[in-house]
Amino acid sequence: MSLNREKYQAFITLLEQLRSDATTGQIVAPELRRRVASLQRLFREEIVPLADVGVPGASPREASVPREDWRVQSYQTEMSKQLRLLEIDVMFFQGARQASTVQTRLQTISDRLTTLIQYCNAILQPQAEGEK
């Protein structure tokens, strides 16, 4: 489980760095778009496989998968949605022309990144309790 934990921690670190840059306004649209695409790729390639559940093609009853696996998969589904919405937020940010709109878009992006961090932490929480 520690390898899984490390992957989630690395993902959280990238989310926090991007949130910090978005909050301080020290990022331009092309760089933001590139980093979000990188986050999405990392999520698909490194994080999603961590929740492979049971037997391929089996229904939830047939798979007899521990409840924890389904909980993680549920969080990952929500994370996937948030990452897609983040991509849309970045497009709106790119189109913003007024300073006030730019700040609003950056705040929305920061909020979305905070949500993603909270989902990761929620996934890690039971693991942390189980290790004590």
Side-chain angles (χ1 to χ4, degrees):
M1 262 326 200
S2 67
L3 181 60
N4 292 358
R5 186 172 188 75
E6 289 174 16
K7 288 182 180 185
Y8 278 107
Q9 289 293 353
F11 191 62
I12 289 170
T13 300
L14 292 174
L15 291 168
E16 288 173 340
Q17 289 171 347
L18 184 55
R19 182 180 63 182
S20 174
D21 291 346
T23 302
T24 60
Q26 296 180 353
I27 194 161
V28 292
E31 174 68 10
L32 182 59
R33 188 175 197 141
R34 184 189 66 73
R35 288 174 65 183
V36 167
S38 176
L39 279 172
Q40 290 173 321
R41 189 171 32 262
L42 177 69
F43 179 76
R44 277 191 316 273
E45 295 172 2
E46 299 288 330
I47 303 297
V48 170
L50 299 177
D52 282 343
V53 193
V55 181
S59 72
R61 289 184 191 148
E62 295 168 335
S64 66
V65 175
R67 176 180 226 137
E68 182 66 19
D69 289 344
W70 289 107
R71 189 185 71 81
V72 169
Q73 189 175 44
S74 176
Y75 273 116
Q76 285 189 356
T77 299
E78 291 304 315
M79 290 170 66
S80 178
K81 290 177 189 177
Q82 290 297 318
L83 283 167
R84 287 194 309 266
L85 290 169
L86 180 61
E87 184 178 18
I88 292 168
D89 292 336
V90 170
M91 286 190 281
F92 284 138
F93 170 70
Q94 284 181 298
R97 299 292 172 241
Q98 295 180 354
S100 62
T101 306
V102 167
Q103 287 307 311
T104 301
R105 298 298 182 204
L106 285 173
Q107 184 59 51
T108 301
I109 289 167
S110 177
D111 292 346
R112 187 121 16 234
L113 291 165
T114 298
T115 300
L116 283 161
I117 291 166
Q118 290 170 341
Y119 286 155
C120 287
N121 286 328
I123 290 171
L124 292 176
Q125 194 62 37
Q127 291 178 7
E129 290 174 2
E131 291 173 359
K132 290 182 180 178

